[in-house]
Amino acid sequence: MALSFVAVLALVFFTIILGSIIFFIVSLVLYTTAKRDFRELPRPELQKSLSTRKVLLIVSSIIMGTLLAVLLTFVIVLYSALAYI
């Protein structure tokens, strides 16, 4: 059974959103472990790793937040369109 173009597009869109959520969770775990390691043993080489992972966490949270805002806006627009049918 072939999927329609709209179904494939929706599947790709939801996969991108799921990927951004997974990317955020992974970067959050990496940042918290680096912060804990730096707190236990503060070395200068760990500070560079901590700052790199913090930037990665910020970028991933911006990507995830933007995509979730787009999804939420899309759902609200569809619900408001259905309300006036």
Side-chain angles (χ1 to χ4, degrees), residues 11-12 25 32 48 51 69 76 79:
L11 185 66
V12 168
I25 291 171
T32 54
K48 182 168 174 62
S51 64
I76 289 171
Y79 274 130

Side-chain angles (χ1 to χ4, degrees), residues 34 37-39 41-51:
D37 291 343
F38 183 72
R39 197 177 309 138
L41 185 61
R43 295 186 316 214
E45 59 269 6
L46 290 179
Q47 178 65 31
K48 182 168 174 62
S49 172
L50 184 66
S51 64

Side-chain angles (χ1 to χ4, degrees), residues 12-83:
V12 168
F13 184 66
F14 288 127
T15 304
I16 290 172
I17 291 175
L18 184 64
S20 70
I21 292 171
I22 291 171
F23 177 49
F24 172 74
I25 291 171
V26 167
S27 61
L28 181 66
V29 168
L30 287 175
Y31 176 71
T32 54
T33 57
K35 191 170 184 176
R36 182 182 39 195
D37 291 343
F38 183 72
R39 197 177 309 138
E40 289 174 359
L41 185 61
R43 295 186 316 214
E45 59 269 6
L46 290 179
Q47 178 65 31
K48 182 168 174 62
S49 172
L50 184 66
S51 64
T52 302
R53 290 181 181 177
K54 187 175 186 177
V55 169
L56 188 68
L57 177 65
I58 292 169
V59 168
S60 67
S61 66
I62 290 171
I63 291 171
M64 184 193 68
T66 303
L67 288 176
L68 285 177
V70 167
L71 177 69
L72 189 65
T73 304
F74 186 67
V75 167
I76 289 171
V77 166
L78 284 179
Y79 274 130
S80 66
L82 288 175

